[in-house]
Amino acid sequence: VTSQANPHSLIIGGTRGMGRALAELFAREQHTVSVIGRQIPPEPITGKVHFWSVDLLERQELSKTLDDVIVRHGNLNNLIFLQRFKGKGDKWEGEIQTSLSATKFVIDALIDQFHDASDKSIVIVSSAASDVVAEEQDAAYHVAKAGLNQLARYYAVVLGPKGFRVNVVSPGTVLKKENQEYYLGNDKLQKLVGRTVPLGRMGTALEVAHVISFLCSPKASFLTGQTILVDGGANLVSCETLARKLADLKF
Ligand SMILES: NC(=O)c1ccc[n+]([C@@H]2O[C@H](COP(=O)([O-])OP(=O)(O)OC[C@H]3O[C@@H](n4cnc5c(N)ncnc54)[C@H](OP(=O)(O)O)[C@@H]3O)[C@@H](O)[C@H]2O)c1
């Protein structure tokens, strides 16, 4: 598998949050980065980072934008999905369309627009809520994320012979620029996280971005169809253990 000196990476949902942290990391790693979101952020990113403003729900506009990305910056090496629904209207329809259907639409539209000679990586960011129930999120979020996990496995098998690797990164709650004041300012929550997460803290957007970067590198050249949990081990702890810790009971 050859690596490319300046890979072209398209990030869907990279204008803020974890996607922006990934765009910044890729720019430092000398990628040419194309970023799609509804709004172009006021603060630019240093490096070869290009923003496109389009709503994933507007499929005609989206098709034109995807064409434009390829015409301007050439075929892709990496395609990463970090969008989630934050719009108005019906939440079920919105989340399923934005997270699940748009991901399939973009993959299908771009499948012939990847560099042939190099490693081709697709990474879908899912969530712990694809497996467990997180009551702070709605039903659509759970179903869309579970669907994305299986979509990744499907494409890993079907597109494997064409040289594509398709993997999922599934974070727990992540500190990002937009929420760190809230989470770090909440002492009670931080203490609980310290006691219940095996690694004793919340992860950061950059730590998730590093895992995505690995999956988009030739170092991951034989890795496909996998869901990688990036949660400091939180998913491993049993209900009994959690309950005992919270109740200060001995083990
Ligand atoms: N934050 C966490 O703790 C956490 C934990 C587990 C999993 N995740 C997952 O990780 C991913 C990133 O999370 P995040 O918290 O960084 O998300 P976020 O801050 O809400 O960012 C979502 C991105 O998607 C874009 N987007 C949303 N709707 C769009 C639409 N209709 N058309 C085009 N772009 C759209 C947004 O840009 P615009 O607003 O400009 O459109 C933004 O760039 C999501 O898939 C989320 O479910 C997050």
Side-chain angles (χ1 to χ4, degrees):
V1 179
T2 57
S3 68
Q4 188 146 332
N6 301 105
H8 181 197
S9 301
L10 171 59
I11 304 177
I12 309 294
T15 52
R16 56 188 163 81
M18 255 185 272
R20 185 178 171 103
L22 179 67
E24 290 168 355
L25 177 67
F26 274 168
R28 292 196 294 278
E29 293 177 341
Q30 312 302 321
H31 292 220
T32 295
V33 191
S34 298
V35 174
I36 285 179
R38 282 166 304 179
Q39 274 151 30
I40 292 178
E43 285 176 45
I45 295 176
T46 311
K48 291 185 193 142
V49 182
H50 312 278
F51 289 102
W52 273 267
S53 163
V54 67
D55 191 328
L56 294 166
L57 298 175
E58 303 293 335
R59 298 292 203 259
Q60 274 188 347
E61 282 305 305
L62 178 58
S63 286
K64 279 191 216 155
T65 303
L66 297 175
D67 288 347
D68 201 31
V69 166
I70 303 301
V71 166
R72 282 176 195 245
H73 301 295
N75 281 351
L76 297 174
N77 299 89
N78 306 301
L79 172 60
I80 305 96
F81 295 91
L82 290 116
Q83 79 280 13
R84 65 159 304 182
F85 179 62
K86 289 273 174 73
K88 296 195 177 82
D90 185 77
K91 284 187 176 169
W92 176 270
E93 195 57 24
E95 189 71 67
I96 299 294
Q97 286 298 331
T98 307
S99 292
L100 193 52
S101 306
T103 298
K104 181 179 182 298
F105 181 90
V106 171
I107 292 175
D108 290 349
L110 291 175
I111 217 63
D112 293 325
Q113 313 295 341
F114 277 72
H115 273 291
D116 252 349
S118 66
D119 191 35
K120 303 187 249 282
S121 176
I122 298 174
V123 178
I124 298 174
V125 175
S126 181
S127 159
S130 61
D131 285 313
V132 297
V133 174
E135 285 188 68
E136 67 277 14
Q137 304 290 354
D138 64 11
Y141 187 76
H142 289 77
V143 173
K145 292 302 194 188
L148 286 172
N149 292 8
Q150 188 65 343
L151 190 71
R153 293 187 197 105
Y154 176 83
Y155 279 127
V157 171
V158 171
L159 299 177
K162 289 186 172 178
F164 284 88
R165 297 184 297 99
V166 188
N167 290 289
V168 169
V169 170
S170 188
T173 308
V174 171
L175 289 173
K176 50 182 186 174
K177 215 174 168 184
E178 294 85 348
N179 69 12
Q180 60 186 14
E181 200 177 314
Y182 169 76
Y183 281 121
L184 294 179
N186 189 327
D187 285 348
K188 210 171 158 189
L189 185 75
Q190 288 307 313
K191 275 189 193 129
L192 280 175
V193 167
R195 288 172 65 199
T196 54
V197 176
L199 289 183
R201 61 179 177 83
M202 295 173 75
T204 66
L206 181 59
E207 287 176 309
V208 176
H210 275 138
V211 177
I212 298 172
S213 168
F214 163 70
L215 290 171
C216 293
S217 79
K219 288 180 184 168
S221 57
F222 205 50
L223 183 60
T224 195
Q226 301 305 303
T227 298
I228 302 189
L229 276 68
V230 185
D231 67 352
N235 73 92
L236 303 170
V237 184
S238 77
C239 280
E240 167 92 23
T241 298
L242 274 183
R244 281 175 178 269
K245 285 192 176 186
L246 297 183
D248 286 323
L249 295 179
K250 286 202 174 111
F251 286 92

